[in-house]
Amino acid sequence: MSTADGATIVSGREGTDPRRGSARALRWGAGTALRADLRLFGSEFGLHLVRRRNWAGVGVLLSVPIILAVCVKVTSDGNTDGAGPGFLTAVTDNGLFVALAALTMELPLFLPLAMATICADTVAGEANTGTLRYLLVVPVHRTRLLIIKYLAVLVAFTGALLLLVVVGWAIGTALFGGGSLTTLSGEQISFWAGVGRLLLVCLYIDVCFAGLAAIGMFVSTLTEQPLAVVIATVAVATISQVLDTVPQLSSIHGYLPTHHWMAFADLFREPVALGSIRPGILSALAYAAIFLSAAWARFGDKDITC
Amino acid sequence: MNSDTKTPPPAGPEPAPSGARPRRPLLRWAVPAGVTAVVLGAGGIANLIPASAEEPLPVRSVEQLLLDVQDSLQTSLSGTLVQRTDMGLPELPQSGSSDLASLVSGNHTLRLWYAGPKKVRVALLGSLEESDVIRNGRDTWVWSSRDKTVTHTVLPQGPLGDSSPSPSELTPQAAAKKILEAVDPTTVVSSAGPVKIAGERAYELVLSPKDSVSLIGRVRIAVEAAHHVPVRLQVFPRNDSNPAFEVAFTQISFDRPSDSHFRFTAPPGAKQQDLPSEAQSGQGAEQPPELIGQGWTSVLAGRVSGDLLQKLLSGKLGEMAPGAAGSQSGSSGSVGALATDRVFQAFESVSGSWGKGRLLRTALCSVLLIDDGRFYAGAVRPEALYRAAAGSLPSAGDGR
């Protein structure tokens, strides 16, 4: 439908034989529209890349696996004895688990914070610095603009996540060695199978955070204060996790946006358990659909005054 | 997205900024509302499908169903189980745990591979951890991912090896079989259903004890229609419509699981402990608890060792918690101690002609702990425990 939009505009500009003109314009329009979208995506993604605060945030994310690996190496003599969060016990066996332990530690707060920060920049941040109205002068439909911004957020987040995993894996392998690893079920899998599972974990967490990103984008269209977006998005993630620990509310646990996040560990069972992964993906997609359409409803109709 | 097309395209070659477009706020917000409705509807429909009518199941008598349950131990299957226990005990702060002892309360997810009673693997899935119990022939392995320990037991050859406890005790089949051993003239058996469990249609057996001393109101066993395997077991307390114990498949496959699931070798870096087989270890142990009475109202009677009793009576049960007893320090130990102390606080002081003691009442069972170290437990009202303690229960105890 978006290509049809482009075609309408372009055929209006051509104005000759409507049938042939529109067919040509459709081809031409589709190509240009795609190029324009890509350019816009590049500029949106580039904006995430040039912000120094984002790199500071990435630095914080990356510090966790480094601190964790160094601390375990320095303090323990290969004996963690069941203390600490999940996967920490396995760190000394295989460096790959540094990445998983770091993910486990960052999943409750740091990763939602990172997602909230970049979501805040997309609409509220631009409105706050006064650049949003200039952006809207670009002849791109607001719907496409919103989708492009959403995709840029997801790609930026994926980049940070991959960087985190790669740094964790690298420092873990350097300090504790690699090789085949032991799954939660006590079975061994090969090194490359482990890497593949780690990438699947990243993919799963990415899908889960696509839901949170949609919530962040929606809040971002509601306000012109990026700080409010960060607070609201992190609050949603945190409150959801708090409610998830209250046993009396067990009937609503399955509907909470964060409920299935920790299911990524099921990818490290042998064989992989999909019992929680599947509802996790469905729940994230449902949240993404609902809040992205709400963001669209708000953003497409919003008065941009600054 | 549809209302995109409804907004008139901008007049000029340059699309006009937002001020020029007509405003239909309500129409726009109908889209997210519609998406929400569709998403919730899709979830709702998925739940409704099992309730939709299908052609009726062929008639199967109660006796046939009882026999089905008894024969079902030979059927190979694999699947995922959810187990819920709500005994009315204080909530233990362990719900994400893969500790095998945590099965007494809360919700748990288990995976099961079953190829006959001698090839069984049960995995208790905790959050970021897992415990596995594997039986393959005479070998039994217990793996805990949290502390990376493996416990290996070789069962003795012969009939004892066949009858000794195995992880298959945790399956609905075995649980249902145990219940059915109690079916005798003291039970009303009827059928209900059909129900749908894990996408499979199932008959339902309802067993209700006649004796009002029993705390169990009724037991419902769902028997899958095509393979005649129990796929759900629910135990209801008397006068309660919510099950206090439930174990049910959420996903099930009747293909024979491959042998690789039952082969286990301790992973490198794990602490392996080889336990002597039960035939040898049984000699040194204290006198095992004995069963008094029969059927639903039978009472387990035994004796607690002096050391444990002292701790129990002084209220320092926390020190005996599994987490604190071992070399572990830190949060997991203290959480375990806290949990055990909270359970202990649920005991009340009681006394009678049999002496003085403490009583734990839960929805499904009562436990009486007498100060001299005797204990009595059963799915019965406390009065039956007092009678057993006073020795006045009709002593049919064959002391197996």
Side-chain angles (χ1 to χ4, degrees), chain B residues 253-306:
Chain B
S253 153
F254 290 100
D255 299 332
R256 192 177 193 279
S258 99
D259 273 355
S260 64
H261 294 299
F262 310 112
R263 274 194 294 271
F264 188 83
T265 36
K271 285 164 276 187
Q272 183 171 346
Q273 191 186 7
D274 283 289
L275 286 186
S277 67
E278 279 153 32
Q280 296 140 27
S281 68
Q283 307 300 326
E286 289 180 52
Q287 174 189 347
E290 63 170 326
L291 209 57
I292 305 172
Q294 275 180 337
W296 300 97
T297 56
S298 55
V299 170
L300 189 73
R303 194 166 273 281
V304 184
S305 74

Side-chain angles (χ1 to χ4, degrees), chain A residues 142 184-185 187 269 271 301, chain B residues 18 23 111 121 126 130 143:
Chain A
R142 284 191 183 193
L184 290 176
S185 309
E187 311 276 350
R269 304 189 197 277
D301 200 40
Chain B
S18 61
R23 317 203 45 186
R111 296 169 91 191
R121 179 174 192 144
E130 179 171 325
W143 153 258

Side-chain angles (χ1 to χ4, degrees), chain B residues 82-98:
Chain B
V82 169
Q83 184 239 34
R84 287 181 207 90
T85 314
D86 179 14
M87 299 281 252
L89 281 172
E91 198 74 40
L92 304 184
Q94 292 190 331
S95 46
S97 169
S98 71

Side-chain angles (χ1 to χ4, degrees), chain B residues 18-345:
Chain B
S18 61
R21 66 184 64 209
R23 317 203 45 186
R24 289 183 222 154
L26 277 180
L27 207 62
R28 293 193 75 88
W29 285 100
V31 175
V35 170
T36 311
V38 167
V39 165
L40 291 180
I45 287 165
N47 288 336
L48 281 179
I49 288 169
S52 65
E54 284 171 79
E55 52 184 272
L57 292 172
V59 178
R60 207 156 176 83
S61 72
V62 167
E63 289 72 26
Q64 276 174 314
L65 288 174
L66 287 174
L67 283 175
D68 288 342
V69 172
Q70 266 154 352
D71 291 343
S72 65
L73 283 177
Q74 298 309 321
T75 311
S76 297
L77 52 86
S78 60
T80 308
L81 293 157
V82 169
Q83 184 239 34
R84 287 181 207 90
T85 314
D86 179 14
M87 299 281 252
L89 281 172
E91 198 74 40
L92 304 184
Q94 292 190 331
S95 46
S97 169
S98 71
D99 195 340
L100 288 173
S102 71
L103 283 170
V104 295
S105 87
N107 293 2
H108 300 276
T109 306
L110 301 134
R111 296 169 91 191
L112 168 72
W113 294 269
Y114 186 88
K118 289 187 182 173
K119 277 188 191 278
V120 186
R121 179 174 192 144
V122 179
L124 170 57
L125 310 188
S127 172
L128 308 177
E129 55 190 38
E130 179 171 325
S131 293
D132 284 53
V133 182
I134 302 124
R135 165 137 190 223
N136 190 1
R138 289 170 56 210
D139 291 301
T140 304
W141 305 85
V142 180
W143 153 258
S144 159
S145 80
R146 189 195 307 179
D147 38 16
K148 285 192 292 182
T149 52
V150 175
T151 313
H152 179 215
T153 319
V154 180
L155 301 170
Q157 202 123 36
L160 188 61
D162 295 340
S163 66
S164 60
S166 78
S168 61
E169 305 277 322
L170 295 168
T171 66
Q173 298 100 292
K177 197 166 186 299
K178 276 230 147 38
I179 300 281
L180 286 174
E181 281 166 7
V183 172
D184 52 24
T186 64
T187 312
V188 181
V189 186
S190 58
S191 65
V195 289
K196 199 148 195 172
I197 312 287
E200 310 283 345
R201 296 207 290 161
Y203 301 95
E204 218 172 8
L205 266 177
V206 185
L207 316 174
S208 342
K210 284 181 193 159
D211 195 338
S212 66
V213 167
S214 168
L215 286 174
I216 297 174
R218 61 190 195 284
V219 175
R220 299 177 79 102
I221 303 170
V223 182
E224 199 267 332
H227 300 81
H228 306 141
V229 169
V231 286
R232 183 176 72 182
L233 175 97
Q234 295 173 303
V235 184
F236 294 80
R238 209 163 270 280
N239 306 325
D240 197 339
S241 57
N242 294 316
F245 175 84
E246 175 173 13
V247 56
F249 280 98
T250 54
Q251 178 264 319
I252 190 167
S253 153
F254 290 100
D255 299 332
R256 192 177 193 279
S258 99
D259 273 355
S260 64
H261 294 299
F262 310 112
R263 274 194 294 271
F264 188 83
T265 36
K271 285 164 276 187
Q272 183 171 346
Q273 191 186 7
D274 283 289
L275 286 186
S277 67
E278 279 153 32
Q280 296 140 27
S281 68
Q283 307 300 326
E286 289 180 52
Q287 174 189 347
E290 63 170 326
L291 209 57
I292 305 172
Q294 275 180 337
W296 300 97
T297 56
S298 55
V299 170
L300 189 73
R303 194 166 273 281
V304 184
S305 74
D307 189 35
L308 176 60
L309 182 72
Q310 282 311 310
K311 291 215 163 77
L312 279 171
L313 294 179
S314 59
K316 287 181 184 156
L317 197 67
E319 290 172 14
M320 296 301 294
S327 60
Q328 295 177 12
S329 57
S331 59
S332 69
S334 55
V335 166
L338 180 74
T340 328
D341 275 342
R342 278 167 74 176
V343 172
F344 187 71
Q345 280 161 16

Side-chain angles (χ1 to χ4, degrees), chain A residues 76-89:
Chain A
S76 84
D77 28 9
N79 188 9
T80 41
D81 248 0
F87 291 121
L88 200 58
T89 45

